[in-house]
Amino acid sequence: MLILFTPVGDTDPVRNYHDGAMLHIIRHYPVDKVILFMTKEMMKKEAEAGLYTKGIKRIKDISIEYIKSEITEPQNYEELSPLLTAFDNYYRDDTHKNAEWLVNISSGTPQMKTIMSIIGIDYPRVTAVQVTSPERGSNRKAPPCRDGEEGADMLEFNEDDAENAPNRCSEPSLNMIHRYGLRLQIESLVRNYEYNSALQIVNQHPSLFSENTQKLLQHGIYRILLKVKKANECMSYYDGQPLVRQSAEIMEYYRLMELDQKKGNISGFIIKLSPILMKLGEKYIQDVWNYPLKNIGVMTKEKGLVITEARLQKNEPEFLAYLNKQFHNKFGERAISFIMLLYLSKYLSEVSICPNISKENQEKVNRIFSQLRIVEEQVRNKVAHTMLNIDEDDLERLTIDKSVKGFGTKKILSDLRKIIMIIYGKSITADYNLLNEYIIQSMKEI
């Protein structure tokens, strides 16, 4: 079954001795049924002269259904929700589950035409049909029927009844409207760093987007997975600019914490705190202090580097004495951890001179590391081992130690940035925001 769903306007059923759009579609398509959506004014027009019914029956004896609405201002989008609702109800009705649909995008107000175009895009069994005016341009100079008698006369002498009358119907792809709507949806996802969801939309409509858009989104997905090499293999430059300006793993990890903060994923943010502190601690001891961790421990397959009393007694007896104070003379042996790196950092600051870092920065690193350790200890375990989903207020409440009171994600990120600046000698660039702008720009390439 082929059904035409159409609003009707002043151009219907005839104007200036030619078919209106609704009538012309019925003339040139094998329509089995027509559903007319009528405003209050068009209902009055039909009631007075029956022109819609007469016009349709004059061409084809098909089933006609009328949707009589109370709409009085069809130029107002807010009044037109019944138009979309009516179509959706018909489309989903079991009696029409195998039907194919035509929608008329040339009748009614401009607002009605827009809604019909959206229907033509969003529903799979629908074909949108456009009908040009006989003048191949605006037909505003030709007035609509003034009364039933004039309308009947135009139907009687309709020039489109002639055998050689042209078919003015066409089926526009509506790609421009479709693509615009998808672009807005993708842009919203990209602004929220939801690259995977955005890529799914692009892959569903490959002809509407450039290859660059697809590659940039895939690049973003790899970046979030910390697969920077794969990200660069997928796409490393856009518009002559590098997509990854700082490839160090710690920089990428920090940016992921920024994304968690921006998306409100505070639990994910806190869980990432331990790994980044561990990496920063190792980098600080080994690269800034040039201190070989093998001096204090042995490598094992199960636990990695394990700090042992035997190794400490041999190489760092004073550090062993320092640790015994911290552990009440029960140090034994322990796998390397951030707290052990923090103790080593404090010990080295007390007993050594480091040419690579000022005393002021040593104190800053130790202070920040100590505070972040408290945050990690007080909050991370609660998040990691429970189903607790926390927000910023919870984070500040859970850090009950006075020395870290008021530690929210902004403070934590700020302190991590300071540490990274000291250790790496460079600040972190906001590459994800730039990537987002590149993705949005690439969607304009087609």
Side-chain angles (χ1 to χ4, degrees), residues 36-44 66-76 78-83 86 112:
L36 304 181
F37 185 91
M38 311 180 80
T39 64
K40 206 160 188 177
E41 183 181 353
M42 297 304 110
M43 287 165 51
K44 181 180 179 184
Y66 302 92
I67 302 173
K68 299 177 180 180
S69 76
E70 295 296 316
I71 294 173
T72 58
E73 296 180 356
Q75 74 283 0
N76 187 342
E78 293 181 359
E79 281 210 24
L80 292 178
S81 59
L83 174 59
M112 285 179 151

Side-chain angles (χ1 to χ4, degrees), residues 164 288 371:
N164 62 348
V288 177
Q371 290 176 330

Side-chain angles (χ1 to χ4, degrees), residues 5-10 12-13 22 34-54 56 64-74 79-80 82-83 86-87 90 107-108 112 116:
F5 184 92
T6 174
V8 290
D10 282 331
D12 300 306
M22 177 269 293
V34 59
I35 300 171
L36 304 181
F37 185 91
M38 311 180 80
T39 64
K40 206 160 188 177
E41 183 181 353
M42 297 304 110
M43 287 165 51
K44 181 180 179 184
K45 182 177 176 180
E46 170 67 11
E48 289 174 349
L51 286 180
Y52 296 114
T53 303
K54 290 176 183 177
I56 294 168
I64 306 173
E65 287 192 31
Y66 302 92
I67 302 173
K68 299 177 180 180
S69 76
E70 295 296 316
I71 294 173
T72 58
E73 296 180 356
E79 281 210 24
L80 292 178
L83 174 59
F87 176 81
Y90 271 95
S107 288
M112 285 179 151
M116 298 306 292

Side-chain angles (χ1 to χ4, degrees), residues 30 70 80 91 116 120 165 200 221 237 249 280 329 379 404 432:
E70 295 296 316
L80 292 178
Y91 184 87
M116 298 306 292
Q200 288 180 29
I221 292 169
Y237 282 81
E249 183 183 16
L280 287 171
N329 293 316
V379 181
V404 294
Y432 280 103

Side-chain angles (χ1 to χ4, degrees), residues 377-431:
E377 189 176 37
Q378 293 187 347
V379 181
R380 187 192 179 282
N381 288 340
K382 295 177 183 177
V383 172
H385 297 106
T386 68
M387 297 182 67
L388 183 66
N389 187 21
I390 67 171
D391 57 20
E392 290 283 356
D393 292 337
D394 293 326
L395 175 57
E396 294 194 16
R397 178 175 52 78
L398 289 169
T399 50
I400 55 177
D401 191 289
K402 290 182 179 179
S403 64
V404 294
K405 190 173 178 60
F407 258 63
T409 56
K410 287 185 179 179
K411 173 64 173 168
I412 293 170
L413 285 173
S414 174
D415 282 351
L416 288 174
R417 183 181 286 270
K418 291 173 185 175
I419 292 286
I420 290 170
M421 183 65 189
I422 291 171
I423 295 174
Y424 288 83
K426 61 179 78 172
S427 60
I428 297 177
T429 57
D431 282 11

Side-chain angles (χ1 to χ4, degrees), residues 296 307-314 320 324 329-334:
I296 59 173
I307 303 173
T308 66
E309 282 197 7
R311 184 59 63 96
L312 286 166
Q313 188 64 56
K314 178 181 178 182
L320 175 58
N324 277 326
N329 293 316
K330 296 179 181 180
F331 176 72
E333 66 176 42
R334 298 170 187 266

Side-chain angles (χ1 to χ4, degrees), residues 278-289:
M278 188 68 187
K279 287 290 184 183
L280 287 171
E282 289 178 342
K283 180 78 173 177
Y284 180 62
I285 296 297
Q286 294 180 123
D287 290 8
V288 177
W289 279 93

